[in-house]
Amino acid sequence: MTSKFTELCIDCADPATLARFWCAVLGYGVRDTGDGLVTIGPPVPPVGEERPGPVPPVLTFARVPEGKTVKNRLHLDVSPADREQGEEVARLLALGARRSDVGQGGESWVVLADPEGNEFCVLAARRP
């Protein structure tokens, strides 16, 4: 028996705002809200339709009192599904992301930060 990766929890100051940002980034929708938590996930397929392949994990944003202070030890990588990397970076910047320097140098990925400063990478060549 093994475990399955089903959920990633992200501490934040404003779960609703961060959930809206990540819904726009990933094409997810809000699944559940309440008591300082917002959970988002991929669209649920209609009844009777099966989703091919693995089901992506949901993201849960949890309100915490302390702010982010250092570089994340865990971060998301996103891969543009229908555009080039530069176009996706421009889209994400327009949604409220900002460029971030974590010492990456001249790598093929672009490091951005979400509205609360959580770093994530936009990959160049990998397609989901």
Side-chain angles (χ1 to χ4, degrees):
M1 186 64 72
T2 62
S3 294
K4 294 181 180 178
F5 177 36
T6 58
E7 184 169 348
L8 178 64
C9 300
I10 301 167
D11 291 347
C12 61
D14 186 349
T17 298
L18 210 51
R20 278 192 302 276
F21 172 80
W22 283 103
C23 280
V25 170
L26 300 171
Y28 277 20
V30 173
R31 296 272 186 92
D32 193 23
T33 62
D35 200 25
L37 298 172
V38 178
T39 299
I40 67 172
V44 177
V47 175
E49 287 187 24
E50 292 188 22
R51 182 188 312 264
V55 177
V58 298
L59 303 179
T60 295
F61 300 95
R63 180 175 290 116
V64 298
E66 66 276 359
K68 181 181 178 302
T69 58
V70 296
K71 179 183 175 288
N72 295 356
R73 302 248 352 235
L74 175 73
H75 68 267
L76 299 177
D77 286 349
V78 297
S79 298
D82 59 355
R83 63 196 71 181
E84 295 302 315
Q85 181 189 41
E87 296 169 308
E88 183 65 354
V89 167
R91 183 182 82 87
L92 299 176
L93 291 170
L95 289 173
R98 63 183 185 276
R99 293 187 181 273
S100 183
D101 183 355
V102 294
Q104 66 268 21
E107 301 297 339
S108 62
W109 58 84
V110 176
V111 181
L112 300 178
D114 71 16
E116 289 205 13
N118 300 301
E119 298 90 6
F120 66 99
C121 296
V122 182
L123 304 182
R126 186 176 299 159
R127 300 283 186 209

